[in-house]
Amino acid sequence: MRTQEPVLTIEELRTVFHTDDGLVRAAEGVSYELYPGETLAVVGESGSGKSVTALSVLRLIAEPPGEIVSGRITFEGVDLTALSERELRRIRGRKISMIFQEPMTSLNPVHMIGRQIMEPMLLHRICNRQEARRRALELLRKVGIPAPEQRMSEYPHQLSGGMRQRVMIAIALACEPDVLIADEPTSALDVTVQLQILRLLKDLQQQMGMAVILITHDLGVVAEVADRVAVMYAGRVVESGPVEELFYNSVHPYVEGLRASIPDPEQEVARLRVIQGQVPDAARLPPGCPFAPRCPYVMDRCVSEDPPTTPVAAGHHVRCWLNDPETVEAAGAVEARRSET
Ligand code: SF4
């Protein structure tokens, strides 16, 4: 049983976008919590709402067209959705910081690396310029950048993709945040560099004791670094729990499909398994469970009622009618379908 209080709690978050195509419900009642010192992987395909939820935490959603309609995001006992922009600026980058997917668009091309690492420390008045420079050099060393003195006065275009991502990590860690949100931090990198960056993040997390939300679509990444997982689909958390539970005891058919699509190096197969069908258009979600059009176990109730989130085991929750014995019994044919698949 977990006795610690979460450092960050998201409850029933609803974030929408007003588009020419209609109302896009990007986060539809998202809830999850993050505990001190842990890595929570938030997994899902593009458009599942994982990045929108993270951006809502720091209120980095462009309003309009975006809008946080309802929900609570609690950090250190304070609801972030109720803070003024000025109050939030004291938290952003200092207490909660974020690493984005593509360092070349996040780093400022006309400022030297050293200045960009020192900036958050000076902005949040953590130390004076001399101390900020000393800390920036130390951070560059910590993230494994060779010849840090020389790199301090170089520009982003002079570094490789992997080095730029290390600089982004150094900037995000400059103020020693309690929470780090890493949004697909390795997807723009070569596979060999990806692993180095993930291990670096894990080492730094352990040294600094911060909690990490790792947003990814890659279950291999999850297996490497996560303690717990929240899987998102169509703006909802469909299953969440400890990483072993999700890998070996998942309930939701979407999670089952994701696991089945991981290639097994031990087995030679002609074709990888895929989840049939398409991710639904977020502006035109079907009634009921949004996974119903792709689900091999779909029951009558699924197409009319969106399932609630229910417990499977301690700390393990799912949003699927398969976890409701009465529904499964009433549908009858589910077991037959399972054995066919
Ligand atoms: Fe499939 Fe029904 Fe579960 Fe949705 S609620 S994932 S359609 S079984």
Side-chain angles (χ1 to χ4, degrees):
M1 273 278 282
R2 204 179 265 279
T3 51
Q4 275 176 315
E5 287 294 309
V7 61
L8 179 79
T9 308
I10 302 174
E11 293 164 275
E12 290 295 320
L13 177 74
R14 289 193 160 74
T15 303
V16 300
F17 288 88
H18 302 271
T19 72
D20 293 344
D21 224 14
L23 191 69
V24 172
R25 296 177 200 279
E28 182 60 17
V30 174
S31 300
Y32 60 74
E33 57 284 321
L34 178 71
Y35 290 91
E38 75 166 353
T39 298
L40 171 72
V42 180
V43 184
E45 292 164 276
S46 301
S48 61
K50 54 194 194 308
S51 295
V52 166
T53 303
L55 291 169
S56 300
V57 169
L58 288 173
R59 294 242 303 276
L60 292 172
I61 298 286
E63 292 187 48
E67 188 189 354
I68 297 175
V69 181
S70 60
R72 272 176 73 85
I73 300 170
T74 311
F75 174 73
E76 293 185 340
V78 174
D79 182 5
L80 300 184
T81 64
L83 294 187
S84 67
E85 180 56 31
R86 194 184 158 149
E87 288 167 324
L88 250 185
R89 274 203 295 266
R90 288 195 213 119
I91 291 175
R92 248 189 237 135
R94 178 169 187 174
K95 302 250 182 186
I96 305 177
S97 65
M98 190 151 180
I99 307 172
F100 294 93
Q101 190 173 128
E102 180 39 79
M104 207 50 200
T105 50
S106 308
L107 289 169
N108 190 326
V110 299
H111 288 163
M112 286 186 272
I113 298 299
R115 174 176 169 175
Q116 297 191 54
I117 303 174
M118 288 162 64
E119 203 168 77
M121 295 184 256
L122 298 174
L123 192 74
H124 291 293
R125 303 208 173 116
I126 285 185
C127 54
N128 63 24
R129 184 163 286 278
Q130 197 184 5
E131 175 63 6
R133 187 180 160 75
R134 190 194 65 74
R135 286 196 190 197
L137 272 168
E138 191 186 310
L139 276 164
L140 280 178
R141 264 184 220 108
K142 263 194 182 156
V143 298
I145 300 233
E149 286 86 357
Q150 180 195 324
R151 298 297 189 188
M152 286 283 282
S153 48
E154 288 185 351
Y155 292 89
H157 74 270
Q158 293 175 278
L159 305 183
S160 68
M163 288 293 160
R164 285 198 290 266
Q165 196 54 288
R166 285 170 194 262
V167 169
M168 287 300 300
I169 294 172
I171 295 172
L173 299 184
C175 297
E176 302 193 357
D178 298 317
V179 172
L180 175 70
I181 302 173
D183 188 358
E184 306 263 10
T186 59
S187 60
L189 303 173
D190 293 343
V191 178
T192 48
V193 184
Q194 280 185 11
L195 198 59
Q196 289 171 12
I197 298 284
L198 288 172
R199 293 201 170 140
L200 170 68
L201 264 178
K202 194 78 193 165
D203 284 352
L204 292 170
Q205 177 190 19
Q206 279 161 1
Q207 284 172 33
M208 299 170 107
M210 66 196 164
V212 174
I213 295 177
L214 179 70
I215 298 169
T216 181
H217 60 270
D218 185 340
L219 280 187
V221 167
V222 174
E224 183 71 28
V225 293
D227 300 302
R228 287 190 311 118
V229 189
V231 180
M232 291 192 67
Y233 187 82
R236 295 142 168 87
V237 175
V238 293
E239 189 158 5
S240 63
V243 69
E244 308 78 27
E245 276 281 305
L246 270 273
F247 270 90
Y248 300 110
N249 200 19
S250 64
V251 173
H252 201 283
Y254 176 61
V255 182
E256 184 185 294
L258 287 181
R259 281 196 296 114
S261 59
I262 303 174
D264 181 350
E266 308 272 301
Q267 286 184 0
E268 230 179 80
V269 283
R271 272 184 170 213
L272 289 176
R273 278 183 62 184
V274 293
I275 301 172
Q276 298 299 330
Q278 303 288 326
V279 179
D281 179 346
R284 291 175 190 77
L285 287 180
C289 169
F291 191 60
R294 306 173 75 186
C295 181
Y297 311 126
V298 62
M299 300 167 277
D300 289 346
R301 192 174 195 181
C302 305
V303 290
S304 57
E305 283 179 74
D306 198 1
T309 300
T310 51
V312 179
H316 180 181
H317 294 83
V318 71
R319 194 166 171 164
C320 174
W321 288 122
L322 285 177
N323 200 41
D324 179 41
E326 282 176 24
T327 306
V328 171
E329 200 180 320
V334 168
E335 284 310 315
R337 274 214 188 103
R338 268 187 188 280
S339 51
E340 278 166 25
T341 313

